[in-house]
Every structure is written in C-alpha cells, then in structure tokens.
C-alpha cells in the first residue's frame, strides 16, 4: 500500500518538476460517505485557480467513481481549457474492471473537447448512461429524447413527471447558468452545461445531475433580490413560488405569468415522488427530501450550479401529474395571495412547508430564519403570520428554536404580533406551551 503511495508521490513530483500540474483523482470519487451524502469529498478535488498550465488528471489511484460525480469532472476540464490550460488524462487505459476509467468511457467522456469545440457534436455515451452537453435548443431536445428513451419502461406518470423536472432544470441551466470561455480568441464562446442520467437497476433508482459552471444562483437571483446574504439564502429563495432572478432585467408584469415557478414546482414534485434533490451552488447546499428541506454551508464550493436528483421507482406509483401540478399551483397561488395580503398589512408571511418541508426539524435553519428574518421584521414593528399548511408535524425543539426568543422579547404582545394559519392541534399546543414557558417568568412576570 505505502509502496504505491510513495511511487505515486514520486510520479507527482517528477511531473511537477516538468512544469505540469498533476491532479490525482481520489480512490473513491462520488457523493457519498458510507450511506450519507457528502459533497465536500468530491468538491475538494477541484482546483479553480489554475490558468495557462499543463494539467494532468490522473485516474490511476481511483478505484471507483460514480457517473454523476465524474460528469462534474467534464465540466471542470472544460473550465480548465477555458482558462488556457492544456488538459490530459492518464490512467484511463485500463478497461473492464468497472473502475473509474470504465465509467468515464461509458459516458463517452473521452470526446469531451471535440464536443466542447463543435456545437453539432455530443457525447457518444452508452444508451444506459447518457451524458449530454447542453448549450442550445437542439441539445435540449436531444436530452429530452434521451430521457424518454431512457425511461420508456417506466410507468407513464413517471415519464411525464421526470420530463417535467428535467426540462425545468435544463431551462434553468440554459437561461441562467450560462458560462463562457475566459481566455484567448474564443472568449465569447459558450461553455456547455450538462446532464447525466443513470438507472441503478438493482436498487430500482434513477439518479440524474444537471450541472453548469455559470454564475450561480446567488449572483443570478441578486439581480432581483440584492439582499441575499449567502448562497444558502439564495437557494432557499430560489425554490419559493414566483421568485425569479429575471424580474430585475425585464418587465416584471410581463415575466410574471410563469416565471419563478420552475424550482418551486420541481421541488414539490420531487418531495411527492419520495425522491431527493440536492442543489449545490457556490458553497451552499440545499437538500429537498420527502420529509424536510435542509441547508448547509460546504467547506468547498462549486462555481456554478448543479442539481442531483435521486428517485426510487415504485411499481404502482399512485399519482397523476396533472392533478399534482394543479394542486401545487393552487397552493402557490394561495400562498401568494396570503403573502400579498400580509405585506399590505405590514406583516411578514412565512409558509413553513415551503421553507422547511412537511416535517420541519432542522433546528439550525430555524435559528437562522429567526435571526435573519423574524426578529428584524418584529424590530421594524411588523406582525408575523406563520402558515403551517401541509406541515404534518414539527418537534418542540424546532418550534422552540424559532419562537422562544421572539416570545421572550415580545412578552404578552406575542399573542397579538405573531399569528398562525392552518396549524394542527398538536402544533398549536406545542406553540402555546413554548409561549407559556417563554412569557410566564419573562419580563412581564405574569
Ligand atoms: N442554473 C442556474 N444558474 C443560475 N441561477 C439559477 C439557476 N437555476 C435557477 N437559478 C435562479 O433561481 C431562480 C428561480 O428559478 P425558477 O424557479 O426555475 O424560475 P425562473 O427560471 O422562471 O426564473 C432563477 O430565476 C435564477 O435566478
Ligand atoms: Mg426556471
């Protein structure tokens, strides 16, 4: 073991000595650590500040890699190229052992530079492992065809639903996630985004990733919402209904019809399908799961955006896309109305479901919401309206993290200043308990 390691480090040194930069793919290149998702592990591989160098990406120590993680390596290699680097790959000769180089080949990745420089070319991937470069409408169509081809054995509602989510993510990367060459004559040439899907038959799961190295959700959304304090805040904002970074650029009334619904509807569909969606943009991570929505700040960032969706297929999925969509739209409109009414009455409105999911329990998200939104609104003299529609239950620790401090500060005025909509009896009871606890020996000492 130590032998090959020292051999590798010698090799690395000798390559460095010749002026090349050697980037060694780690033994396991994927998004998981045992069973838990871990994005930092793969993201720490990428070095973004290399310009004008010869870079060797070495697969030889990588025993296993997953398709979605390796497709990020394609985007990364394009970015290096656009930075004026020469990029080579070594250790991909070995084939047939199911390792990283096989995964790389199955996706057709060796052709990545001809795809990048020729708008009419796309990846020659294995039909079960499609990788598609996305830079124009023809690529969009190709990706949708592959998605249909790919899912033809599934229940028709799955096909339609998958197509819906995939097309929204593709639209977003085409419209908002554009990236360009940064170097030389081709500086105004577009760097493609991409999509990769894999059907893990044994587990009956589909995973797909849509990724770009564009400006990222925070910068895009800041055009319309300049106060977003970090990438996580931007991600949370992006999945709200009728939130769009394009409002800043165009006539808001014209854009209003459909704009800002893509991620809201997709994230709701994903939850209803009992699927998981992770979105990474900058150093923000948003995870939408069937039960909740959680966020995290990553140690490493991705300069652009990627969305990873994993769906467990169920044989007799009892859902119908049309009624699902009607239901989601309806709840979006109801929420918009409540919000507009609240705003006109100097009230901060919050849909708990849209921020935290069906079973809100992320205490640190509650604290962050409390400090960034709730307390400032109360300090400005606003009222607060918390809407619990679609929330099944929420633990005491979550509600207390969000509400105990405001209750303590407001004392008995909390009864008037903070109101609740659609809260189940259990949630009401928990809130009353926290209110009681926070005000009984508080400043009013009643
Ligand atoms: N790939 C991406 N790159 C940059 N920004 C994005 C990306 N995807 C989504 N966004 C941001 O999130 C917002 C919400 O997306 P969406 O709900 O699909 O609405 P719309 O696309 O209609 O604006 C976008 O307006 C944009 O600001
Ligand atoms: Mg969109």
């Amino acid at each position: 073991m130590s032998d090959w390691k020292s051999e590798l480090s010698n090799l690395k040194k000798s390559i460095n000595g010749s002026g090349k930069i050697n980037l060694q793919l780690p033994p396991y290149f994927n998004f998981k650590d045992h069973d838990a998702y871990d994005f930092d592990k793969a993201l720490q591989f990428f070095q973004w500040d290399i310009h004008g160098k010869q870079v060797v990406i070495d697969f030889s120590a990588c025993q296993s890699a997953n398709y979605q993680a390796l497709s990020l390596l394609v985007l990364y290699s394009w970015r290096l190229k656009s930075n004026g680097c020469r990029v080579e790959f070594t250790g991909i000769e070995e084939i047939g052992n199911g390792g990283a180089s096989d995964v790389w080949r199955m996706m057709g990745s060796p052709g990545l530079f001809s795809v990048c420089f020729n708008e009419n070319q796309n990846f020659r991937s294995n039909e079960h492992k499609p990788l598609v470069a996305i830079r124009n409408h023809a690529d969009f169509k190709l990706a949708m065809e592959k998605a249909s081809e790919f899912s033809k054995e599934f229940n028709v509602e799955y096909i339609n639903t998958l197509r819906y989510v995939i097309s929204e993510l593709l639209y977003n990367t085409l419209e908002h996630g554009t990236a360009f060459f940064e170097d030389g004559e081709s500086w105004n040439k577009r760097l493609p985004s991409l999509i990769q899907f894999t059907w893990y038959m044994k587990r009956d799961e589909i995973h797909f990733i849509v990724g770009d190295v564009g400006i990222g959700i925070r910068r895009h959304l800041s055009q319309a919402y300049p106060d977003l304090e970090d990438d996580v805040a931007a991600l949370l904002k992006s999945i709200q209904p009728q939130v769009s970074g394009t409002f800043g650029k165009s006539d808001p009334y014209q854009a209003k019809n459909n704009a800002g619904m893509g991620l809201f509807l997709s994230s709701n569909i994903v939850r209803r399908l009992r699927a998981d969606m992770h979105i990474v943009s900058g150093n923000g991570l948003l995870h939408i799961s069937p039960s909740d929505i959680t966020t995290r700040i990553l140690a490493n960032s991705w300069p652009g955006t990627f969305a990873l969706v994993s769906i467990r297929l169920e044989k007799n999925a009892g859902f119908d896309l049309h009624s699902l969509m009607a239901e989601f739209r309806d709840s979006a409109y109801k929420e918009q109305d409540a919000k507009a009414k609240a705003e006109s009455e100097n009230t901060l409105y919050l849909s708990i479901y849209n921020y935290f999911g069906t079973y809100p329990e992320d205490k640190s998200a509650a604290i962050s919401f409390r400090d960034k939104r709730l307390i400032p609104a109360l300090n400005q003299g606003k009222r607060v309206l918390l809407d619990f529609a679609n929330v099944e239950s929420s633990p005491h620790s979550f509600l207390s993290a969000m509400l105990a401090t405001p209750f303590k500060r407001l004392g008995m005025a909390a009864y008037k200043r903070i109101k609740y909509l659609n809260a189940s009896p259990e949630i009401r009871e928990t809130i009353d308990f926290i209110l009681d606890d926070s005000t009984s020996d508080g400043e009013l000492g009643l």
Side-chain angles (χ1 to χ4, degrees), residues 301-317:
S301 53
W302 177 261
T305 306
F306 67 84
L308 176 74
V309 179
S310 346
I311 302 180
R312 285 168 292 279
L313 295 168
E314 283 165 57
K315 290 280 170 304
N316 302 307

Side-chain angles (χ1 to χ4, degrees), residues 215-265:
I215 65 170
I217 290 186
R218 183 184 180 191
R219 267 179 68 200
H220 193 275
L221 212 47
S222 293
Q223 299 174 111
Y225 303 92
D227 299 333
L228 296 165
E229 63 271 18
D230 56 25
D231 289 312
V232 160
L235 282 163
L236 277 169
K237 187 92 188 168
S238 73
I239 58 165
Q240 303 304 311
Q242 299 189 349
V243 164
S244 173
T246 54
F247 283 169
K249 287 194 294 188
S250 54
D251 175 358
Y253 298 102
Q254 206 185 357
K256 204 135 193 161
N257 266 344
N258 222 349
M261 294 299 276
L263 286 182
F264 168 76
L265 291 170

Side-chain angles (χ1 to χ4, degrees), residues 236 239-240 271 287 289-295 350-370 386 388 391 393-394 398 402:
L236 277 169
I239 58 165
Q240 303 304 311
R271 284 192 263 181
H287 177 200
S289 82
S291 58
D292 62 4
I293 297 175
T294 51
T295 55
L350 169 70
S351 155
I352 302 277
Y353 172 74
N354 276 332
Y355 254 89
F356 305 102
T358 319
Y359 301 97
E361 56 188 20
D362 183 347
K363 227 172 117 179
S364 59
I367 290 171
S368 150
F369 184 85
R370 175 194 74 193
L386 302 178
F388 286 86
V391 173
S393 68
S394 182
F398 175 90
M402 177 133 78

Side-chain angles (χ1 to χ4, degrees), residues 5 36 46 111 121 158 165 274 282 319 343 375 395 397 426 429 442:
K5 268 198 179 159
F46 302 111
Q121 260 191 44
Y158 268 120
V165 175
R274 306 211 306 114
F319 63 90
E343 267 159 25
I375 291 180
S397 57
E426 289 75 24
E429 248 167 56

Side-chain angles (χ1 to χ4, degrees), residues 168 171-172 175-176 262-263:
E168 288 294 351
Y171 278 129
N172 281 351
E175 288 170 7
H176 317 310
L263 286 182

